[in-house]
Each structure stands twice: as C-alpha cells, then as structure tokens.
Amino acid sequence: MRRLVASAFLAALAFAAAPTHGADAASCPPGTEPFAEYRLFFGRSQGEVEVVSEEAWHAFLAEEVTPRFPDGLTVLDAAGQWRDGSGTIVRERTKLLLVLAPSGEDAMQRTDEISDAYKHAFGQSSVLRVVTEACVSF
C-alpha cells in the first residue's frame, strides 16, 4: 500500500511539473486572454507559372476569407520555397494569412473551408496551416 501511495504521489508530482503547451486563462499574463493563432501559407504558382494574381488574391480574400473572419486578419507577402518530389527546389511568391480567434471557436473548421476553397479555385495541391496558442490583448 505504501508503494502505491508513493507511486501515485510521484505520478501527480510529475504531471504537475510537466511543461504545458498552449495558452489558457491561468497561464496568460494579467490583461491578456488565450487565443488561437492560425497561419495559412498560400502558394501562388503552378509549376513555374504564377496563377494567382494580386487581383485574384484580393477577390479570394473578399469572397472567402473576410466573411469567415470579419473581426480582423492580417495578410503578408512572403517568398516561399519547398522541395518537390524530384528533389528540385521550387520557389514562389506566397500570401501569409494571420488570424487570431478566441480559443474554442470553430475557427479550425473555417480555416479548413478557406484552404479547400483556395485549392479548388487555383488548382493548388496544398495550403500550409500552422496553429499555435497565444496570449493576446487589444
């Protein structure tokens, strides 16, 4: 019995000491609140041809992204690169979308819908999505 109690105590101690991942209300500094941060990377080319012009991007942003995140977002121009199946480094202009949404919202589903719409509209094979937790204040 003594070993069982000692084992339970050590397990609880290890759990309490384990690093936490992500932000929650208890781990955020005073004056901030937990949000999910979504970063979506949209490549603009097919092969060596740019298929997503600035005009096409702005139309996509207005029709697909803004209605899903009307409270705000940020778009940055970026230069991306990746290795294709043959080992060739492919470089392309990229749009980086940053969205912050309160934790627990259906934002993951909305980013899925945006990714699917982009792939369908512009013949892209993927949209990279990164999701992290952040403590935010406005």
Side-chain angles (χ1 to χ4, degrees), residues 74-114:
T74 300
V75 176
L76 302 168
D77 288 314
Q81 74 177 43
W82 52 279
R83 185 185 318 251
D84 69 11
S86 69
T88 302
I89 300 295
V90 178
R91 293 176 178 85
E92 65 183 319
R93 292 191 330 154
T94 302
K95 291 291 187 179
L96 171 55
L97 173 67
L98 300 172
V99 176
L100 290 165
S103 296
E105 281 198 0
D106 63 341
M108 182 72 80
Q109 178 182 342
R110 290 182 279 158
T111 61
D112 280 340
E113 293 166 357
I114 291 167

